[in-house]
């Protein structure tokens, strides 16, 4: 089974996005069910969102980053109240890393290592 991590970088400051809340969900039919919640550390990372004893089987997952609250806590106004990233786990023996590059008015993501 696969493991999952994420990293959020505030590209407007070039610094890690510490204290950003996020949720991991798995697709279940037409809906999603929550698997875990996390908060980024001082380095902007959640190293093992799936948990040490919880591995991800193949399927479609959704990471939701609470960017609106994070920017508001810093006295900034952002355009996106949240960022959702859907991705598919296919290989059961690989680690999946889903980084988020964030600014108040834009974002991007990719599959990291």
């Amino acid at each position: 089974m696969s493991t999952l991590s994420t990293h959020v970088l505030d590209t407007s400051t070039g610094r890690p996005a510490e204290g950003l809340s996020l949720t991991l969900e798995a697709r279940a039919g037409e809906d999603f069910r929550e698997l875990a919640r996390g908060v980024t550390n001082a380095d902007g990372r959640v190293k093992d969102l799936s948990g040490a004893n919880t591995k991800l089987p193949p399927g479609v997952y959704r990471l939701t980053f609470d960017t609106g609250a994070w920017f508001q806590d810093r006295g900034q106004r952002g355009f996106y109240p949240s960022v959702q990233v859907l991705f598919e786990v296919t290989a059961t023996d690989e680690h999946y890393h889903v980084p988020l590059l964030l600014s108040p008015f834009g974002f991007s993501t990719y599959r990291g290592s």
Side-chain angles (χ1 to χ4, degrees):
M1 300 279 195
S2 299
T3 56
L4 173 68
S5 61
T6 189
H7 177 240
V8 185
L9 179 69
D10 179 352
T11 59
S12 68
T13 63
R15 306 288 308 155
E18 179 181 5
L20 195 149
S21 298
L22 53 107
T23 305
L24 172 66
E25 299 167 289
R27 187 163 63 187
E30 297 295 316
D31 297 317
F32 282 84
R33 63 179 168 78
E34 184 176 312
L35 298 179
R37 289 180 176 265
V39 177
T40 56
N41 64 17
D43 194 33
R45 297 179 186 277
V46 177
K47 292 186 180 184
D48 188 7
L49 188 57
S50 56
N53 296 319
T54 306
K55 306 299 182 194
L56 299 176
V60 174
Y61 295 87
R62 178 169 66 191
L63 274 173
T64 302
F65 298 87
D66 191 0
T67 54
W70 188 80
F71 280 119
Q72 185 175 25
D73 288 348
R74 281 144 188 80
Q76 292 181 296
R77 185 163 185 249
F79 184 67
Y80 301 100
S82 67
V83 171
Q84 292 187 332
V85 179
L86 275 75
F87 61 97
E88 186 172 13
V89 169
T90 55
T92 59
D93 60 343
E94 293 183 15
H95 175 76
Y96 288 80
H97 183 65
V98 183
L100 178 66
L101 303 175
L102 179 64
S103 75
F105 299 99
F107 66 89
S108 66
T109 186
Y110 57 94
R111 179 173 177 190
S113 58

